[in-house]
Amino acid sequence: MTEVIAVAVITVLAVISPGADFAMVVRNSCLYGRTTGLFAAAGVAAGVLVHVTYTMLGVGLLIASSTELFTAIKIAGAAYLVYIGFRTFTARTEVTVDLQAQKQGLTPLGALRGGFLTNVLNPKTTLFVVSTFTQVVGPDTATWQQAGYGLFMSVAHLGWFGLVALFFSQSRLRAALLRRQRALNRAIGSVLVGLGVSLGFAR
């Protein structure tokens, strides 16, 4: 029971803290609509499962003990965030969003892939999952229990970012934000670049 409570508390705190995943889901929801935002949220949740899988297989322990390997993952994640942030900041084409449109600039698959890569390459999630399993889950914890904890982490991400997508895809809020697309792109792009740079230089 102690493990369950600890995993739940750590997961909730980690999920609701603003970061790259939040910025990505907000961007997709505002610019492309509810469905795209939900697919981005699903991509984030799928990315969490990748972290859980390699942690359960023992790779997480290697990352925790190997400075070189963790640095490589950190640099890759930072570079991806800077790249996405720069593209968002410099975007000149204004997006006209139609709630009835099935495709509008970014396909559901593209949104799913973007959310997945943002999470998979995010060192923050790496640290979150690895530290949770290495500090909270004991050596006697059954494999099925560890899998359950990992599934909970993924579902928690899906639930939270699903709510974020629903909120930021509301027509009135979105219409107001889309009238200021350039400022919105620059703001979110700056956040993504800032996160990428800060993660790249984090020790």
Side-chain angles (χ1 to χ4, degrees):
M1 183 59 67
T2 302
E3 283 186 6
V4 173
I5 295 175
V7 170
V9 171
I10 294 174
T11 299
V12 171
L13 292 177
V15 170
I16 65 176
S17 62
D21 294 335
F22 182 84
M24 181 66 66
V25 173
V26 169
R27 173 182 179 273
N28 286 343
S29 300
C30 288
L31 295 181
Y32 305 110
R34 179 176 302 172
T35 299
T36 304
L38 290 174
F39 270 93
V44 170
V48 173
L49 293 179
V50 173
H51 295 289
V52 170
T53 299
Y54 67 63
T55 300
M56 287 185 62
L57 294 175
V59 179
L61 296 176
L62 177 61
I63 295 176
S65 61
S66 173
T67 303
E68 294 78 9
L69 182 56
F70 177 74
T71 299
I73 294 175
K74 180 177 69 174
I75 292 175
Y80 179 74
L81 290 177
V82 171
Y83 169 72
I84 294 297
F86 179 77
R87 288 193 60 181
T88 302
F89 186 90
T90 58
R92 296 181 179 180
T93 303
E94 293 192 354
V95 179
T96 301
V97 178
D98 181 0
L99 286 174
Q100 304 303 319
Q102 295 182 355
K103 294 184 179 180
Q104 188 68 45
L106 182 65
T107 65
L109 180 60
L112 184 70
R113 181 174 61 249
F116 178 79
L117 290 176
T118 298
N119 185 270
V120 166
L121 298 177
N122 189 352
K124 175 185 173 182
T125 309
T126 298
L127 286 174
F128 155 60
V129 176
V130 172
S131 62
T132 299
F133 273 80
T134 57
Q135 300 299 323
V136 177
V137 178
D140 298 329
T141 303
T143 301
W144 68 267
Q145 284 182 284
Q146 296 185 41
Y149 296 152
L151 183 61
F152 172 78
M153 293 176 184
S154 178
V155 171
H157 279 76
L158 179 62
W160 169 253
F161 290 113
L163 290 176
V164 170
L166 292 175
F167 176 77
F168 280 93
S169 61
Q170 291 295 322
S171 58
R172 290 185 178 180
L173 175 60
R174 189 177 61 176
L177 291 175
L178 288 178
R179 284 196 294 269
R180 301 173 178 81
Q181 282 183 47
R182 183 163 296 183
L184 176 66
N185 284 341
R186 289 180 177 177
I188 295 180
S190 298
V191 171
L192 289 172
V193 171
L195 285 170
V197 172
S198 64
L199 288 172
F201 286 96
R203 297 182 181 275

